[in-house]
Amino acid sequence: MADAQLSALPAPAGRAGLRGVIVSEFTKLRSVRSTYWTLGALIIVSVGIAAIAGAGIASSIHNNPQNKAAADATQDSLIAFFELGQLIIAVIGAMTITSEYSTGMIRTSMSAMPRRSTIYLGKLIVLTTVTLVVSLVTSFLAFFTGQAMLSSSGVAASLFHSTTVPANALLSPPSGGPGAGPPRVTFQGTDVISSSTVLTAVIGTALFVTLVALIAFGLGSIIRHTAGAITSTIGLMFVLSIIIQVLPDNWRWDIMRFFPDAAGRVISVTVGPANMHLWSAWPQMLVTLLWAAVLVGVGGYLFRTRDA
């Protein structure tokens, strides 16, 4: 009788693989309320501040036309997403790996899928996909919102054609003499902003924020504690560059280009000379990518070799 019951059981469907892990990890990520709150905050804060900043800059240019000179409308629209987006996205990156340690669910995951490297890779793929898509959407929304607010100022950038802004502004007394009215403004030179430069800034900022999520993920894998991973990410991306200010200038700038946050100082810039102390946008982005790869690699090794 027992043999008859066993023979009636369905045949095994095969070993659980990466595809099943990806589906499982995506389900975990979207079933947690904090995911929606965090990503929602990322979009609302980034787009909202882009609108406020754009309106403020447009008003400033209306009252002080000399502020048109060397205005970088693209960077002004992306600065909130870049600066605050790092902090918000680090929470998602860390919690993708640390939340299961805090609840003990990591043991269940490892029982269901004994191949730890597959679990780790599945988490990494899901995190990268979600953060990259959300970051790209947020970056473009922030850009278009900011440019809409700046449309009447004469400095708005475009993804579809080149634009120009004055390079310099000279102030001279009004024709009636000092006190007879606002100073006269004379613009000199022109900065041409190509659409490809703007596109590089918008996409590059999204890629940078995505890499910060991977850095937080790697640190979370190493530390296995949510608060510790988030704090370490903030320290690495913000505090470390402040601490080295005590070093001599020639040391500080030589060291700075090897920090993971240095790419953010050049990737969103579309107007003005390049920072002479840093590499150009994509080489600096490669530095951030290497930091993320090393931390994710170390975290993956520890994930496979340490006890849960």
Side-chain angles (χ1 to χ4, degrees):
M1 184 67 179
D3 291 341
Q5 290 178 339
L6 289 175
S7 63
L9 294 174
R15 289 197 313 170
L18 179 60
R19 181 178 178 181
V21 172
I22 291 174
V23 172
S24 174
E25 292 301 329
F26 181 71
T27 301
K28 292 176 187 177
L29 191 63
R30 68 183 178 87
S31 63
V32 179
R33 285 185 186 178
S34 60
T35 300
Y36 297 98
W37 283 107
T38 305
L39 295 179
L42 174 68
I43 296 173
I44 293 171
V45 169
S46 301
V47 177
I49 295 181
I52 294 171
I57 293 169
S59 176
S60 174
I61 290 175
H62 176 75
N63 297 321
N64 302 282
Q66 67 271 19
N67 290 342
K68 279 187 177 182
D72 194 340
T74 301
Q75 187 178 47
D76 292 334
S77 297
L78 297 175
I79 191 68
F81 172 50
F82 164 73
E83 294 291 352
L84 299 180
Q86 293 182 62
L87 299 175
I88 298 172
I89 210 71
V91 176
I92 292 289
M95 290 187 64
T96 299
I97 189 73
T98 59
S99 60
E100 289 194 63
Y101 282 105
S102 62
T103 60
M105 280 297 295
I106 192 65
R107 298 183 183 89
T108 304
S109 297
M110 290 180 177
S111 298
M113 167 52 73
R115 299 195 301 279
R116 295 187 177 191
S117 57
T118 303
I119 298 175
Y120 192 78
L121 182 58
K123 290 180 179 293
L124 182 61
I125 291 173
V126 170
L127 173 66
T128 303
T129 302
V130 171
T131 54
L132 179 58
V133 170
V134 172
S135 294
L136 285 170
V137 170
T138 305
S139 192
F140 277 99
L141 283 176
F143 171 77
F144 284 121
T145 301
Q147 302 319 297
M149 302 304 293
L150 288 166
S151 58
S152 63
S153 66
V155 300
S158 174
L159 287 171
F160 309 106
H161 57 80
S162 297
T163 57
T164 60
V165 294
N168 297 289
L170 298 178
L171 300 180
S172 57
S175 56
R184 291 181 299 174
V185 180
T186 304
F187 294 111
Q188 290 185 334
T190 300
D191 286 326
V192 179
I193 309 169
S194 67
S195 57
S196 61
T197 301
V198 175
L199 184 62
T200 296
V202 175
I203 293 179
T205 300
L207 292 176
F208 179 82
V209 172
T210 301
L211 289 177
V212 174
L214 298 186
I215 288 173
F217 177 81
L219 288 170
S221 305
I222 296 169
I223 299 171
R224 303 200 293 188
H225 187 274
T226 302
I230 295 172
T231 302
S232 298
T233 304
I234 293 173
L236 184 62
M237 302 305 298
F238 291 95
V239 179
L240 196 58
S241 58
I242 297 175
I243 293 176
I244 68 165
Q245 298 298 317
V246 300
L247 297 176
D249 287 348
N250 57 332
W251 289 14
R252 184 173 76 248
W253 289 115
D254 286 340
I255 294 172
M256 183 72 73
R257 62 173 64 101
F258 295 102
F259 281 9
D261 68 314
R265 302 172 187 270
V266 292
I267 195 65
S268 62
V269 177
T270 63
V271 177
N275 190 321
M276 61 181 295
H277 301 293
L278 300 176
W279 293 312
S280 58
W282 294 118
Q284 282 298 164
M285 186 70 79
L286 179 60
V287 172
T288 307
L289 175 61
L290 290 174
W291 273 87
V294 169
L295 290 172
V296 168
V298 172
Y301 173 78
L302 294 175
F303 186 82
R304 289 192 301 108
T305 56
R306 288 193 300 197
D307 292 336

